Amino acid sequence: MATVLLVDDDPNILRPLRVLVEREGYRVLTAEDGQAALAVAAIESPGLIVTDWMMPRLDGVDLCRRLKGDTATADIPVVMLSAALPPEPEEPLWDVLLLKPVPIGRLIKAIHGLLDGPPQEVSGRMSGH
């Protein structure tokens, strides 16, 4: 099971996002800002990071710069979520940019795509027969 690290300073976004991603069968870790995300990424080596851009202490763009600058985390794919267009970096720092409000289906599709296909189904469908 792949691990997804969700990074956002707004608990009202982080909590429901966690539930949605867990329902897709992924292990979910969370961080409230880029600084905390760096610490979690160093310890846990997530398969994917979904981060907000505008956060205190260390924003999403700087988080991506630091991740890409460290050989231990440079290859972790990143989905950047933003209510506004972040500054265009000289080199790619994230794999997917999604503007808020993000349709849930689009976010889930991006997560599946970056993690090489759908996760294992956690629970089968029950028939009413």
Side-chain angles (χ1 to χ4, degrees):
M1 161 186 349
T3 299
V4 177
L5 172 57
L6 303 174
V7 189
D8 201 305
D9 61 316
D10 185 346
N12 294 320
I13 291 174
L14 203 54
R15 278 192 301 265
L17 193 55
R18 177 184 193 132
V19 170
L20 288 167
V21 176
E22 284 176 339
R23 283 185 186 159
E24 292 298 311
Y26 297 108
R27 176 177 174 246
V28 176
L29 304 169
T30 60
E32 68 279 355
D33 61 42
Q35 200 70 31
L38 283 175
V40 172
I43 295 167
E44 296 284 343
S45 296
L48 174 72
I49 296 173
V50 177
T51 184
D52 186 26
W53 168 34
M54 293 185 262
M55 297 180 291
R57 294 190 350 157
L58 186 67
D59 69 24
V61 173
D62 287 335
L63 167 61
C64 289
R65 274 195 192 97
R66 291 197 189 179
L67 289 168
K68 297 301 178 193
D70 182 341
T71 56
T73 57
D75 293 331
I76 299 173
V78 175
V79 175
M80 176 72 73
L81 303 178
S82 181
L85 284 175
E88 196 63 38
E90 291 178 20
E91 66 219 30
L93 296 175
W94 48 83
D95 298 87
V96 175
L97 171 64
L98 296 174
L99 294 178
K100 291 179 179 179
V102 178
I104 295 305
R106 185 174 293 161
L107 175 59
I108 296 301
K109 185 176 180 179
I111 291 170
H112 284 311
L114 290 169
L115 289 172
D116 298 320
Q120 294 291 331
E121 190 170 312
V122 176
S123 60
R125 293 181 182 243
M126 301 289 290
S127 80
H129 301 199

